[in-house]
Amino acid sequence: MGSLPIAVSGSTVHGGGSGGGGSKWWRWCNKNTSCGKSGSNGGDGCANSSACVFFLVAFVCLASIGGLYCRFLLPPNVHTTLSSLGCNEDNEGSWSIGVYYGDSPFNLKPIEEANVWRNKTAAWPVANPVVTCASASGASFPSNFVADPFLYVQGDILYLFFEAKNSITMQGDIGVARSTDKGATWEQLGVALDEDWHLSYPYVFDYNGNIYMMPEGSANGDLRLYRAVKFPTEWKLEKVLMKKPLVDSFITQHDGKYWLFGSDHSGIGAKKNGQLEIWYSSSPLGPWKPHKKNPIYNTDKSKGARNGGRPFLYDGHLHRAGQDCGETYGRRLRVFKIEVLTPTDYKEVEVPLGLKESMKGRNAWNGARSHQLDVQQLSSGEWVAVMDGDRVPSGDVNRRFILGCASVLGVVMLVILFGMLLGAVKGLVPLSWCPHNAGKRSDATFNWERSSLLSNRMRLFCSRLNRASSSLRARIKPRTCSGGLVLAVIFLVTLVLMCTGVKYIYGGSGAQEAYPLNGQYSQFTLLTMTYDARLWNLKMYVKHYSKCSSVREIVVVWNKGQPPELSELDSAVPVRIRVEEQNSLNNRFKVDPLIKTRAVLELDDDIMMPCDDVERGFKVWREHPERIVGFYPRLADGNPLKYRAENHAREHNGYNMILTGAAFMDSKMAFKKYWSKEAAAGRAVVDKLFNCEDVLLNYLYANASSSSTVEYVKPAWAIDTSKFSGVAISRNTQTHYGLRSSCLQKFSEMYGSISSRKSEFHHRSDGWDV
């Protein structure tokens, strides 16, 4: 049979008929499917055509905006570029491992504060993390992350055992590395233990002249002990200690007995990450007897019940590390002093570990969580520790994907709403999708539709949705001022949701990570020169740049006026204000023995750029520490020499100066050159003109070397905040350029011309100098 009109009356839907509700429905349906006099089919095609054009235009516009946002405002996902084999995004996190030193377990400092320098890896100083997914992947076992570190000390050699999340099998294997310099550098030795199930928490210890490992293998339903056959890479199953899926277990000796601490989350009523059991024996090989008070804990997961590393003895007391999993899995470590440990009783009290949490958020390698600690005392009396950390919480990948999809769904809904208000979308449901418009049907199908409650409700629902379009337009009236305002709000919300969706789906973790060089990280000192009238700039500057991953300290050279109190500056790193007696631009490059890093970033307080640009510049400087590496290139040429803007350098595809208002340099070499006797005449010119200190440094570098002395890095974007505060130093560009042209000529007479020097753009393979 042919399709029949459908009448809607109240909540009842009838087929056929031409009276009452049936004729109203027929007239409404024809009205919404007509296009001129083409009939219903032509009308449906006309409506669909206008809607398709609208959706196509909307898609192109939003995709373009999303692409531009992704290109210029989203930082690159550095983690996934660390290795071609591993370092994939993983829902469990992006864990890595750091080294700490101290005179006690409660006074540990990260390795960067020990000021350990390594020339081979251009790390001045070495900074955490020291073992990453890239470290393991580079040793031919691709890993998404490394975690659960345990040390084994053998004389002056440190062995590090850790979980490596295999990028292919997606299960944990046990990796091992070796260090001969107290953990500053590590040689990856490969996979120490690999089973058919997930392994982690490789607790390694000595007993009766043998070396044992007791990793977590709860996925296999038991707790196993392995013995080293050829340490550290070959291990043999010694014994199945328990037929219980214990997690994060360790064995320690106390009062003549061996004690096994672990968590069993498989029992009925066991609270995950909040349960702890204790077992005891006369030997690590067992048999093991349960503690009378088992489970010792079955409480909230934030209380530190789950073990977080090796127990340690300090000041006559045994201490246990536990995981606080309240906010997310492995959020932080808590340390407990064990006061009573007998077969019938157990008591511990929490003591502060003394480690400060990073204030850099996701930009720090351990900014989100840290859940394992192994601290041991060396023969020298010094304590060394390894600790893992992660910049994102557990489940971050899934959370970002869900939020991204929700944002995109919101964009789709708002686009449809926008189209309805403009009249481009006539209805929410295409008429061809309606059951009555589905073409020829059999009598049986028609009878089923008449008797089907679901079909009736669907038809009624579709009709009401399609009527909403005209109803909305009638109420909002998009051609009025109020209607236009509604459209503008919808448009802006759509843009925000679009950018949010792009950020969550394509933007990675959102962290602006540091870039390693030769497998190691380092840090630099940020130095800026300012005075009292620019305090607003300074506060914003410190708050922003102190969160950059590789910034160790901010030094403020205060040239004039009353300096601010340190409490006025919101900083994630230490800030030092160096008050100068004389207001001179030469103070920028004054020798400062308190600077602990080799690299200094001279950055004006009115320049704001992303931390990712700063980190890229730092990596390039580590590749070329003998050069001035910066973000503002200039080409000094002509006869006489003339100072021009960056456009001139790009027109001639080359540059021979880098402005030191945003540049990395070797603090020792640069400052020594600047304050040498040979530079005295140049410094006098700087004081006389109150200008050109950066030009002078470029001349001093060029005069000392026949090779290239400058390197350019293009920032994604940069903002001059002095334009907003009204305290720009060089307000008259023409006068400013004239003074600098004069400096070029004077410095050329003193130190020789640099016009013959020229570095080209586009010579880097990574495209950072385009």
Side-chain angles (χ1 to χ4, degrees):
M1 295 175 62
S3 60
L4 298 175
I6 300 174
V8 181
S9 177
S11 61
T12 307
V13 181
H14 303 279
S18 58
S23 61
K24 291 179 182 179
W25 167 257
W26 179 252
R27 286 194 299 270
W28 181 87
C29 195
N30 275 300
K31 177 181 177 181
N32 283 275
T33 58
S34 62
C35 185
K37 298 181 179 180
S38 303
S40 61
N41 290 336
D44 200 8
C46 181
N48 289 341
S49 176
S50 64
C52 285
V53 170
F54 170 77
F55 285 127
L56 179 62
V57 171
F59 173 79
V60 170
C61 292
L62 290 173
S64 299
I65 293 171
L68 291 173
Y69 174 76
C70 187
R71 169 67 179 83
F72 293 106
L73 295 179
L74 281 186
N77 191 354
V78 178
H79 181 78
T80 58
T81 65
L82 295 177
S83 170
S84 59
L85 297 175
C87 297
N88 302 319
E89 285 203 322
D90 196 292
N91 203 46
E92 288 190 66
S94 56
W95 295 94
S96 49
I97 298 170
V99 171
Y100 296 75
Y101 303 117
D103 55 9
S104 84
F106 300 100
N107 189 33
L108 296 172
K109 306 294 182 184
I111 189 172
E112 50 265 28
E113 293 193 21
N115 215 30
V116 178
W117 287 26
R118 289 294 178 269
N119 293 331
K120 186 177 180 180
T121 55
W124 307 291
V126 174
N128 281 328
V130 294
V131 179
T132 66
C133 59
S135 310
S137 300
S140 300
F141 57 108
S143 306
N144 286 351
F145 62 77
V146 292
D148 292 0
F150 280 101
L151 284 173
Y152 183 83
V153 182
Q154 200 172 65
D156 294 331
I157 301 175
L158 302 181
Y159 290 92
L160 178 68
F161 293 85
F162 53 90
E163 173 196 349
K165 177 72 174 288
N166 192 295
S167 302
I168 300 173
T169 64
M170 296 302 289
Q171 73 175 25
D173 301 325
I174 303 303
V176 60
R178 175 173 56 202
S179 175
T180 57
D181 56 4
K182 292 200 305 183
T185 57
W186 294 89
E187 175 192 3
Q188 295 295 324
L189 302 179
V191 176
L193 188 61
D194 181 13
E195 294 283 15
D196 293 334
W197 53 89
H198 177 84
L199 296 175
S200 61
Y201 208 84
Y203 181 71
V204 182
F205 63 97
D206 289 318
Y207 176 68
N208 277 358
N210 292 311
I211 303 175
Y212 293 94
M213 181 197 299
M214 186 178 67
E216 181 202 319
S218 59
N220 196 47
D222 56 21
L223 180 64
R224 299 186 170 208
L225 186 67
Y226 297 83
R227 177 172 53 86
V229 176
K230 187 177 180 181
F231 184 84
T233 55
E234 293 184 19
W235 300 79
K236 177 183 178 181
L237 177 63
E238 183 74 7
K239 188 175 183 180
V240 176
L241 295 181
M242 284 190 191
K243 288 288 185 179
K244 285 173 69 71
L246 291 182
V247 300
D248 295 356
S249 304
F250 65 74
I251 295 174
T252 188
Q253 190 175 15
H254 180 72
D255 283 350
K257 291 184 175 60
Y258 287 89
W259 303 85
L260 190 156
F261 287 60
S263 301
D264 181 8
H265 298 151
S266 64
I268 298 176
K271 295 183 178 180
K272 188 174 182 180
N273 300 325
Q275 200 258 17
L276 177 67
E277 296 181 0
I278 298 178
W279 303 69
Y280 62 93
S281 173
S282 60
S283 164
L285 304 180
W288 295 94
K289 299 178 182 179
H291 194 279
K292 183 179 179 180
K293 289 190 174 182
N294 274 349
I296 302 299
Y297 295 124
N298 191 32
T299 182
D300 184 83
K301 58 186 177 181
S302 67
K303 301 300 182 181
R306 181 168 178 168
N307 291 324
R310 184 187 302 272
F312 59 90
L313 189 67
Y314 180 70
D315 200 19
H317 292 280
L318 189 64
H319 294 77
R320 182 184 72 88
Q323 299 181 41
D324 176 353
C325 299
E327 301 168 39
T328 183
Y329 169 68
R331 173 63 185 90
R332 62 176 60 86
L333 282 166
R334 302 175 67 175
V335 175
F336 303 89
K337 182 173 70 174
I338 298 175
E339 295 186 331
V340 179
L341 177 55
T342 68
T344 59
D345 197 12
Y346 181 77
K347 182 181 178 182
E348 64 181 14
V349 293
E350 186 172 2
V351 292
L353 180 57
L355 272 175
K356 292 177 61 177
E357 292 187 9
S358 174
M359 298 170 61
K360 296 185 178 185
R362 295 194 176 203
N363 289 352
W365 70 278
N366 58 350
R369 49 188 180 152
S370 183
H371 78 338
Q372 173 124 346
L373 168 72
D374 185 359
V375 55
Q376 299 191 37
Q377 191 171 23
L378 303 178
S379 57
S380 63
E382 183 182 18
W383 291 79
V384 61
V386 286
M387 189 181 303
D388 59 9
D390 195 358
R391 65 180 72 252
V392 297
S394 179
D396 187 65
V397 173
N398 285 350
R399 182 189 67 87
R400 294 197 321 258
F401 181 75
I402 292 172
L403 290 175
C405 290
S407 298
V408 171
L409 180 60
V411 169
V412 171
M413 296 174 65
L414 288 175
V415 167
I416 292 174
L417 177 60
F418 198 83
M420 291 171 60
L421 293 177
L422 290 179
V425 179
K426 303 297 182 182
L428 292 177
V429 182
L431 297 177
S432 58
W433 294 4
C434 296
H436 70 279
N437 223 27
K440 292 186 176 182
R441 296 166 295 170
S442 63
D443 290 342
T445 302
F446 181 69
N447 291 333
W448 175 83
E449 287 182 358
R450 291 183 63 185
S451 61
S452 171
L453 180 61
L454 177 61
S455 178
N456 291 341
R457 289 183 174 177
M458 279 297 295
R459 275 177 274 179
L460 181 61
F461 180 68
C462 289
S463 68
R464 287 177 175 174
L465 280 181
N466 285 340
R467 290 182 182 182
S469 175
S470 56
S471 176
L472 277 174
R473 283 179 57 81
R475 290 185 178 184
I476 295 179
K477 299 176 181 178
R479 294 188 178 183
T480 64
C481 290
S482 59
L485 181 60
V486 171
L487 288 175
V489 170
I490 294 174
F491 179 74
L492 290 176
V493 174
T494 303
L495 290 184
V496 171
L497 284 179
M498 181 66 186
C499 293
T500 302
V502 170
K503 173 185 174 182
Y504 282 127
I505 296 176
Y506 297 106
S509 67
Q512 299 190 52
E513 302 182 36
Y515 292 81
L517 182 65
N518 300 322
Q520 284 205 305
Y521 294 87
S522 188
Q523 290 186 329
F524 63 88
T525 300
L526 184 61
L527 189 148
T528 189
M529 187 167 60
T530 189
Y531 60 101
D532 51 2
R534 298 164 68 93
L535 183 58
W536 178 83
N537 295 68
L538 180 65
K539 288 182 177 180
M540 185 166 52
Y541 175 100
V542 168
K543 183 174 183 178
H544 172 68
Y545 288 114
S546 68
K547 290 184 169 61
C548 295
S549 180
S550 300
V551 174
R552 176 171 178 176
E553 179 190 28
I554 297 177
V555 176
V556 179
V557 179
W558 195 263
N559 261 2
K560 186 177 68 172
Q562 181 66 30
E565 297 292 334
L566 291 179
S567 58
E568 297 181 54
L569 304 175
D570 182 6
S571 179
V573 299
V575 177
R576 177 164 57 92
I577 300 178
R578 196 179 78 202
V579 180
E580 300 293 347
E581 296 179 0
Q582 179 184 355
N583 183 15
S584 170
L585 295 181
N586 290 321
N587 293 333
R588 179 194 291 273
F589 303 120
K590 184 175 287 187
V591 176
D592 189 341
L594 296 181
I595 292 177
K596 302 300 183 184
T597 64
R598 181 175 174 182
V600 165
L601 172 58
E602 294 272 2
L603 186 62
D604 288 348
D605 63 342
D606 55 6
I607 294 177
M608 297 294 290
M609 63 176 66
C611 284
D612 179 68
D613 289 338
V614 172
E615 296 294 347
R616 289 190 297 115
F618 184 42
K619 182 186 178 183
V620 174
W621 178 85
R622 291 177 68 194
E623 296 171 352
H624 306 286
E626 75 286 354
R627 300 178 185 178
I628 300 174
V629 177
F631 305 93
Y632 293 96
R634 295 292 187 266
L635 179 62
D637 61 0
N639 189 13
L641 287 176
K642 190 175 181 181
Y643 184 87
R644 299 179 179 90
E646 182 177 333
N647 291 339
H648 177 73
R650 293 196 171 277
E651 289 171 1
H652 292 78
N653 191 32
Y655 56 94
N656 51 21
M657 290 197 306
I658 291 291
L659 300 188
T660 59
F664 284 94
M665 61 195 68
D666 183 334
S667 61
K668 303 294 188 285
M669 182 175 72
F671 298 171
K672 183 179 179 180
K673 286 180 186 294
Y674 196 87
W675 287 92
S676 64
K677 291 182 179 179
E678 293 78 9
R683 294 198 302 272
V685 173
V686 171
D687 276 335
K688 181 180 179 181
L689 301 178
F690 205 76
N691 207 321
C692 303
E693 80 286 359
D694 50 353
V695 177
L696 174 58
L697 187 65
N698 276 270
Y699 268 86
L700 295 174
Y701 261 75
N703 186 52
S705 174
S706 58
S707 59
S708 177
T709 58
V710 289
E711 190 80 16
Y712 167 65
V713 178
K714 179 180 175 61
W717 53 265
I719 299 174
D720 184 354
T721 60
S722 66
K723 307 298 183 185
F724 305 103
S725 59
V727 290
I729 294 177
S730 305
R731 299 182 182 180
N732 190 319
T733 302
Q734 187 174 357
T735 302
H736 177 63
Y737 280 24
L739 286 174
R740 289 182 159 250
S741 296
S742 175
C743 289
L744 290 174
Q745 296 164 29
K746 291 181 180 180
F747 293 155
S748 293
E749 295 173 1
M750 296 176 184
Y751 309 108
S753 178
I754 62 172
S755 59
S756 60
R757 301 292 190 95
K758 188 178 179 181
S759 298
E760 294 185 350
F761 297 101
H762 306 279
H763 76 276
R764 292 187 59 88
S765 60
D766 52 27
W768 288 357
D769 64 339
V770 295

